[in-house]
Amino acid sequence: MTLGSGGSSVVVPRNFRLLEELERGEKGIGDGTVSYGMDDGDDIYMRSWTGTIIGPHNSVHEGRIYQLKLFCDKDYPEKPPSVRFHSRVNMTCVNHETGVVEPKKFVLLANWQREYTMEDILTQLKKEMASPHNRKLVQPPEGTCF
């Protein structure tokens, strides 16, 4: 996120950016089917986050609750966080053995821009669940984890 006028720009420091994301995540997002927050309130570096996605309607994911782990390294938001499903899910962009969202198979991570947020990642993953190539894939039993 950059601020400024007249050609000047100010880069918002990492922790300020993460505090903004934390505040937004705690307030709830859109229709409430996507949420996120910090794993450890004492982590001053704000690295480890948990995300939740409620599966989209008219798909095999409908009504399922998926938990994810997001890890924002010191170079976030210049580089994307690592994203891993804790809940088992069958999607074309997710490694079937580890639950890792593979950046080369998930456009938002592959084409990461500093302006993108964890909310964008979760929202896009939910859209990906509803895409034609994912919405009818056979899913593991509900409640199983990687």
Side-chain angles (χ1 to χ4, degrees), residues 76-88:
Y76 179 83
E78 297 301 329
K79 293 187 178 172
S82 60
V83 183
R84 183 179 62 83
F85 273 85
H86 179 68
S87 306
R88 280 203 170 274

Side-chain angles (χ1 to χ4, degrees), residues 30-50:
D31 62 3
T33 59
V34 171
S35 64
Y36 62 95
M38 285 181 54
D39 280 346
D40 179 4
D42 293 331
D43 177 9
I44 62 170
Y45 299 107
M46 304 176 79
R47 293 172 292 205
S48 188
W49 298 69
T50 296

Side-chain angles (χ1 to χ4, degrees), residues 14 71-82 112 114:
R14 177 186 181 279
F71 187 82
C72 299
D73 216 346
K74 65 183 183 302
D75 49 9
Y76 179 83
E78 297 301 329
K79 293 187 178 172
S82 60
W112 184 258
R114 188 179 211 286

Side-chain angles (χ1 to χ4, degrees), residues 105-124:
K105 296 180 179 180
F106 185 58
V107 175
L108 191 83
L109 295 180
N111 300 322
W112 184 258
Q113 296 179 24
R114 188 179 211 286
E115 296 76 32
Y116 295 162
T117 64
M118 288 182 275
E119 176 183 343
D120 294 330
I121 293 170
L122 296 171
T123 302
Q124 194 59 43

Side-chain angles (χ1 to χ4, degrees), residues 54-65:
I54 298 176
H57 296 295
N58 301 318
S59 74
V60 295
H61 306 283
E62 185 170 355
R64 286 184 172 222
I65 299 172

